[in-house]
Amino acid sequence: MIGHAYGAFDNSAKNYEFIQVDPLAAAMGAEISEVDLANVSDKAFAEICHALYRHKMIYFRDQDITHADQENFSAKFGPFADDAYTQGVPGNRNVQPVLKEADAEVGIIFGSGWHTDSPFLQNPPAISQLRGIDIPPYGGDTMWANTALAYALLSETMQEMLSGLKVRMSIQHIIAASQKAVLAGEQPAKSNLKTSKDPEDMQLKVKGAAHPIVRAHPITGEKALYCDKTYTTTIDGMLEDEAQPILDYLINHITQAALTCRLRWEPNTYAIWDNRLCIHQAFNDHDGFRREMYRTTIAREHSA
Ligand code: SIN
């Protein structure tokens, strides 16, 4: 089904007392202004959380903040997640660099391909935050797709059919893509999987985790699909021939253009997204230009 955001989802801005909100696209996303992320009051923070759950991804411009500021602001959302991929910077171990140098030519970059963050873990991060420092003159955008809107656009019959099903998420596809790149003689992507040398840990990530395909947001109760292209391998209890067409349908449905938004980064842009309400992808389209970002991830559910 080709979805259209109008009528199914309201991305208009609410009136807030401490923040200014300007929606980005019809389907999702909003710019938040009148906030200094190094100095956020409790009241402004409550409004930021409300805007995050409403718009799924929010971003702030001109946030010239330090790693410590990012760590402090991120911690307001809850405990840091056990991120599967990146190592933190010295002194701020929860602030993880996401870096592609100008001379790097790799087939896969961190975050490319539609995905939700680390769903092969039993407790994947609930919220992710990304701060742009060095931004290519063009390229290097990030896109998000609204999985709550995708769920709302399904027929009741499809919604009922999916309820109770579990998707299996694993790093299988990542390993297969890396091996294919090596066999094709391409420069392998630098893996920053923290424990890639620990076979037991890799086995766990290949086995992955099963999660409900429809999840209710713990704070708003809004239902959303939990399914992506990068990590979803099958539906538990189904034969592959049965599961794959359903997964193909769902991923095409979620990622249709009308359900997405796209962010053009600037130095000091700071984005936050809720992995329970959207999926995202980065683009490997800026060879010749450096891209330096810093990420934090917040664990599981938390109360606002
Ligand atoms: C990510 O997937 O967390 C990174 C996205 C990006 O670098 O744009």
Side-chain angles (χ1 to χ4, degrees):
M1 172 193 162
I2 301 296
H4 200 291
Y6 293 120
F9 181 66
D10 176 9
N11 199 41
S12 66
K14 290 278 174 212
N15 276 331
Y16 295 102
E17 214 179 317
F18 300 95
I19 61 174
Q20 166 70 32
V21 174
D22 293 288
L24 175 63
M28 66 176 300
E31 178 171 352
I32 313 285
S33 49
E34 292 174 20
V35 179
D36 169 10
L37 293 183
N39 188 16
V40 177
S41 69
D42 289 348
K43 285 182 176 162
F45 182 70
E47 292 188 349
I48 288 170
C49 289
H50 186 276
L52 173 63
Y53 306 143
R54 180 171 176 79
H55 301 285
K56 320 317 185 207
M57 183 284 286
I58 54 176
Y59 63 99
F60 308 75
R61 299 287 191 196
D62 303 320
Q63 299 296 325
D64 187 7
I65 60 174
T66 63
H67 291 330
D69 292 332
Q70 177 168 2
E71 201 165 45
N72 290 338
F73 172 69
S74 299
K76 286 177 180 285
F77 288 86
F80 288 101
D82 171 22
D83 193 83
Y85 277 98
T86 44
Q87 307 275 7
V89 296
N92 301 97
R93 64 182 185 86
N94 298 299
V95 178
Q96 307 138 358
V98 175
L99 176 65
K100 187 183 174 210
E101 294 292 356
D103 61 358
E105 284 178 22
V106 290
I108 311 167
I109 55 160
F110 180 79
S112 57
W114 282 108
H115 68 284
T116 180
D117 284 330
S118 304
F120 44 84
L121 300 177
Q122 293 299 333
N123 293 304
I127 289 173
S128 301
Q129 315 196 18
L130 194 62
R131 174 165 59 106
I133 298 295
D134 203 358
I135 304 298
Y138 55 89
D141 297 354
T142 308
M143 273 185 92
W144 286 264
N146 183 340
T147 51
L149 176 54
Y151 176 78
L153 288 169
L154 294 175
S155 67
E156 271 181 39
T157 309
M158 186 68 166
Q159 289 176 346
E160 270 170 39
M161 201 266 293
L162 294 176
S163 75
L165 295 181
K166 287 191 169 179
V167 272
R168 182 144 294 269
M169 322 284 252
S170 145
I171 60 166
Q172 266 175 44
H173 294 157
I174 300 278
I175 292 176
S178 306
Q179 284 170 346
K180 205 169 147 195
V182 170
L183 285 174
E186 288 173 22
Q187 187 186 335
K190 248 192 232 154
S191 168
N192 47 4
L193 257 183
K194 262 197 271 193
T195 46
S196 54
K197 290 194 176 67
D198 175 351
E200 235 174 77
D201 189 77
M202 285 301 276
Q203 257 169 20
L204 275 180
K205 286 171 180 151
V206 169
K207 181 165 176 249
H211 301 288
I213 201 163
V214 178
R215 304 198 308 174
H217 192 277
I219 293 151
T220 64
E222 188 176 26
K223 285 187 177 169
L225 293 170
Y226 197 61
C227 168
D228 74 1
K229 178 126 186 111
T230 302
Y231 297 113
T232 308
T233 55
T234 191
I235 298 174
D236 270 10
M238 281 193 179
L239 299 174
E240 197 181 330
D241 287 354
E242 295 168 337
Q244 203 52 54
I246 300 173
L247 295 175
D248 288 345
Y249 168 75
L250 289 177
I251 192 68
N252 287 334
H253 172 65
I254 292 168
T255 58
Q256 57 186 300
L259 309 197
T260 67
C261 70
R262 181 171 184 137
L263 179 63
R264 175 86 201 105
W265 292 92
E266 293 169 7
N268 298 329
T269 298
Y270 192 104
I272 310 175
W273 62 93
D274 192 321
N275 287 300
R276 299 160 298 189
L277 298 168
C278 61
I279 60 173
H280 61 285
Q281 71 168 331
F283 291 90
N284 189 12
D285 61 357
H286 52 91
D287 282 4
F289 299 111
R290 191 170 189 274
R291 184 175 186 265
E292 180 184 356
M293 321 287 283
Y294 289 91
R295 198 170 92 115
T296 44
T297 55
I298 306 302
R300 56 185 186 275
E301 328 311 11
H302 68 281
S303 43

